[in-house]
Amino acid sequence: MRYLLGNWKSNGNGALLDAFSSQWPKFPNTIQVGLALPFPWLTHPFSCAWRGAQNVSAFGPGAFTGEVHAGMLKELALDFCLVGHSERRHLMGETVAHTAQKVAALIEQTILPVFCVGETLAERQAGQLETVLERQLEPLRAIKASVLIAYEPVWAIGTGVAATPDDADQAHSWIRNWCLAQGLVVPPILYGGSVSPQNAHQLAQIASIDGFLVGGASLKPDPFFEIGAQLAR
Ligand code: PGA
């Protein structure tokens, strides 16, 4: 099974969701498709196969103003939730400890965590790719429940410069070997970072890529559907 997950970030509205819903039947049904939506749109009716959130509180219910806990997401019957997206790690100060709490909270509510990891350009240039991945993956070490991993190099997110198929393959293979070394069942590993209809075909040829997490190109139905068609081939 391959996966195509869109990440709307802080974008979109109900009308856009309606546009996706009306075109949904065009989607190849051989891949698992979903959208990670901003909280206000999670209750908007739409016919997307999977509905997901982009974030969850590290805490349970209580006095945590502005937080949305995993039990609330469960009530909305969500399928998945992103954890550790680079924008949360780098712009909102999310730590490895937070990501560990969030994964645990989601698993307790049987919501699939989509666990995002990836290095900055400076880290890559300093030869720290593997150290960074290892540090970020730590919360998954003892997790026996199902997760998805998304490898999203920070330098590729929103820049228009995707990783080359070789670079993505190298990182995906490293993550795969790390999982095996921990005695984990290797989860599906998605690639994210400037995936577009133009580069999806080449990236989709790589066997270690089990799908895409798509930001900018998930904000209109046509490019998103086109990427889905490339993935399904
Ligand atoms: P992008 O974002 O496709 O716009 O690069 C990907 C992501 O942040 O998940």
Side-chain angles (χ1 to χ4, degrees), residues 7 9 85 87 152 156-159 192-195 213-217:
N7 173 14
K9 311 189 180 185
H85 187 280
E87 285 147 18
E152 296 202 300
I157 295 179
T159 59
S194 294
V195 176
L213 179 55
V214 180

Side-chain angles (χ1 to χ4, degrees), residues 2 165 169 172-173 176 189 202-211:
R2 287 181 128 185
D169 189 31
H172 282 225
S173 303
R176 188 189 153 75
I189 305 171
Q202 232 196 344
L203 288 164
Q205 305 303 308
I206 305 297
S208 64
I209 293 182
D210 297 305

